[in-house]
Amino acid sequence: MGAPSFAAPSTVMPSNLGGPLGGGLGDLFDLAGGVSNLSGSHVAPKTVWLPAVKAKGLEISGTFSRRAGSLSMDLTLSNKALQVMSDFAIQFNRNSFGLAPAAPLQVHTPLAPNQNVEISLPLNTVGSVMKMDPLNNLQVAVKNNIDVFYFSTLYPLYILFVEDGKMERQTFLATWKDIPNENEAQFQIKDCPLSADAASSKLQGNNIFTIAKRNVEGQDMLYQSLKLTNGICILAELRIQPGSLNFTDLELSLKCRAPEVTQHVFQAYETILKN
């Protein structure tokens, strides 16, 4: 994470934007604002992160969520042992984006056998940073009165998309031109029959902002921006075939100064648009 490529992109405009960019980007100035309808941010179903057989009867299921700018790890702790569990605590290892618990893991009453408890653990991104492989890997230690247990899980990158990630159009144009072409990655999102407006609304609910929309050779083009909690900005061009639910493959181009994040951003797009 300390590598130079992880620096936040400059927002200084070149003195001359030059000729039109690919896909008609040069016409962005002529367009009305993007779709502003908000749908809720996506939260994946809980999955088992720590099976009871590996933790002396403690089973932990969880997921991650971002609501109104607040990050949380939503947990279910289940006691499948024959003894009461108490004195819970949690700790994260250093990770790529500094994810850390923002409060203690509070289980207010001892957890009796065959009981479970739901906990929403608030998170922040001011913890120690170390680039992980994969980038979104999180290593966790959980303690109770019986022992200390370890597990790792992968968090979806969309929980790190911040609420002020919408670029001004001039900044978008300048930044797109300024980022080297070799930093552009192309992806396909298959079997996703959404209109441009529906896609834009879903994405904006997860802090992926449509800056402009236009039609190029019969395809709807959405120009979008998002920003991660550590200041990295990602620019996107999403191509959608309008009016035909049989044509369900969307084409996504991503540009970023830290290309190691683009695969994870693509996975976030795919998850959000298909749920």
Side-chain angles (χ1 to χ4, degrees):
M1 284 298 289
S5 64
F6 266 71
S10 165
T11 55
V12 177
M13 282 189 63
S15 56
N16 177 15
L17 279 176
L21 302 174
L25 281 173
D27 294 337
L28 279 176
F29 297 109
D30 304 329
L31 298 171
V35 175
S36 60
N37 295 336
L38 280 176
S39 57
S41 58
H42 176 68
V43 179
K46 286 180 181 174
T47 56
V48 175
W49 288 344
L50 181 66
V53 292
K54 292 187 176 180
K56 299 180 181 178
L58 173 64
E59 183 178 276
I60 299 178
S61 301
T63 187
F64 296 91
S65 62
R66 185 182 189 93
R67 297 181 181 91
S70 296
L71 279 169
S72 65
M73 175 188 268
D74 302 322
L75 300 167
T76 301
L77 307 182
S78 301
N79 183 354
K80 300 193 173 182
L82 298 176
Q83 59 182 309
V84 172
M85 294 181 180
S86 61
D87 305 325
F88 286 90
I90 193 167
Q91 188 172 321
F92 294 177
N93 199 0
R94 292 185 297 167
N95 55 82
S96 301
F97 293 91
L99 274 179
L105 180 62
Q106 295 184 333
V107 182
H108 295 293
T109 56
L111 195 59
N114 298 316
Q115 280 193 338
N116 59 64
V117 62
E118 308 276 341
I119 297 170
S120 186
L121 178 71
L123 306 179
N124 59 37
T125 53
V126 297
S128 298
V129 171
M130 180 176 72
K131 188 175 178 181
M132 301 294 287
D133 184 18
L135 200 65
N136 59 333
N137 186 30
L138 181 65
Q139 297 172 340
V140 181
V142 173
K143 180 190 83 71
N144 64 12
N145 60 314
I146 298 172
D147 208 339
V148 180
F149 309 104
Y150 303 92
F151 66 90
S152 63
T153 186
L154 302 177
Y155 52 90
L157 219 63
Y158 55 75
I159 67 167
L160 303 177
F161 297 172
V162 296
E163 286 67 28
D164 64 346
K166 186 170 184 176
M167 278 188 178
E168 295 294 328
R169 294 186 191 189
Q170 285 186 309
T171 305
F172 182 96
L173 286 166
T175 307
W176 186 282
K177 186 172 185 290
D178 201 38
I179 295 174
N181 287 336
E182 55 265 29
N183 282 28
E184 183 173 353
Q186 312 272 343
F187 303 95
Q188 267 201 336
I189 301 172
K190 295 186 175 295
D191 302 320
C192 188
L194 289 175
S195 69
D197 287 351
S200 182
S201 179
K202 268 194 166 191
L203 292 165
Q204 181 160 324
N206 292 271
N207 296 332
I208 298 173
F209 299 96
T210 297
I211 297 166
K213 170 188 166 186
R214 71 185 298 253
N215 190 282
V216 180
E217 297 177 354
Q219 285 191 317
D220 283 335
M221 315 280 282
L222 297 178
Y223 300 102
Q224 300 178 317
S225 69
L226 62 108
K227 185 168 71 174
L228 302 180
T229 49
N230 62 358
I232 292 174
C233 292
I234 296 96
L235 282 60
E237 177 189 85
L238 184 64
R239 296 172 179 246
I240 300 171
Q241 184 76 27
S244 173
L245 295 184
N246 296 322
F247 190 100
T248 58
D249 292 353
L250 313 185
E251 295 179 17
L252 177 66
S253 296
L254 296 174
K255 257 193 162 185
C256 180
R257 295 183 193 277
E260 42 277 73
V261 306
T262 52
Q263 176 68 32
H264 300 281
V265 172
F266 157 64
Q267 290 167 354
Y269 262 84
E270 191 169 50
T271 299
I272 293 164
L273 290 172
K274 289 187 172 184
N275 287 281

